[in-house]
Amino acid sequence: MTRVNYITLDDNSLTGSIPSWLVQLTSLTDIYWRSNSLTGTIPNWLGQTGLTRLLLSSNSLIGTIPSMLGQLTRSYYLSLDDNSLSGSIPTTLGRLTGLQSLRLSDSRLTGTIPTELGRFTRSWFSLSLQANSLEGSIPTELGMPNVDYMYLDSNSLTGTLPTELGRITNLRQLKLESNLGICGAIPLGLPASEVSGDPFPSCPPPPPSPPSPPGAGCSGLDFQDILCGEEVSGSTVGAPNAFGSASGEKWYRLRVGGSSVTLSTCGSTYDTFLRVYLGCPLNAETLELAINDDGGDCPSNAYASRVSTTNFSPGHAHSYYVLVEGYQASEGTYVLAATDCSALSPPRPPPLPPPPPIYLFPG
């Protein structure tokens, strides 16, 4: 029996589970056991055989698809459709690059379509995933030139039709109908006559960007001016929090130009955090110029290792916005100093003179 190559028992009312003695048939390459009443799970050890064709469709098998089936690298056909399986499609099936047919339809599968299913290299390939509960978008990797049949209908797929599907040059049929929300035009190069489910609705426009958080725009920013060479103090306890970490925050505007500026919070009484922004609107990706947490080089005190120091090069004269906050939710009294300036800001304007006295004369 070890020299058996084929077992063909389709439509024979077989019952019970897949027998373990199959593993002893070391020459076995093909199993055709379709349209029976087999029960139980698909055993892991099937992945350790030398099968080139495994056809178990239209039975009553349950459980997940074993990831070990990805070891059947000599397989041409894998058919598990019309069973009562569960779980997702194993990504390991993408290792079966020599497959000509992968049939997993009507098997109660969930999850997304693995991008690994775009690795098949035979001159023609057919993929059947219809009538499951697959969700998400169609992977761009499925745009393989060798696809002739692809059945993705009757799932919960959404999103825009990938333009990469236009690479399929041998297409005979692409079924996409009865999905949750596929939209967009048929990609250029894909024959519309071979696509079922068209016309698809136009894709909705992308949602608008969320509004900027309070204080993210300079027009609504409550800041104080600080001069280069000046030291200011304040407290973040109970201060508003709208931009950085979870702590209270205070904003300063520094008008300066030149080659170097140092900002520090030496003398502060809590774990500070400094951020410096160039211009408006404040944007952490494009305009965050400098950032520091525990870089303070300060005289020894209780928070000497928890205060912040940052240095940046202004170049041309500009307005820089400095955020003083705390690490995570730390708050307290801070000292902010702007030193080592190679070009000082213009001096503050002198205060306005007092109004002239008012003299009252008796009538």
Side-chain angles (χ1 to χ4, degrees), residues 1-20:
M1 289 291 289
T2 57
R3 302 180 66 178
V4 172
N5 299 118
Y6 305 90
I7 300 181
T8 303
L9 293 172
D10 291 344
D11 298 294
N12 273 285
S13 302
L14 297 178
T15 59
S17 59
I18 298 173
S20 60

Side-chain angles (χ1 to χ4, degrees), residues 7 10-11 25 53 89 129 179 226 263 279 326 345:
I7 300 181
D10 291 344
D11 298 294
L25 305 180
R53 294 174 177 85
I89 301 172
L129 302 178
N179 273 290
I226 180 174
L263 294 168
S345 304

Side-chain angles (χ1 to χ4, degrees), residues 136 138 152 157-161 176-177 179-184 200-201 203:
I138 300 173
L152 305 178
L157 300 175
T158 58
T160 306
L161 282 171
L176 297 172
E177 67 268 23
N179 273 290
L180 187 62
I182 294 177
C183 61
F200 299 99
C203 294

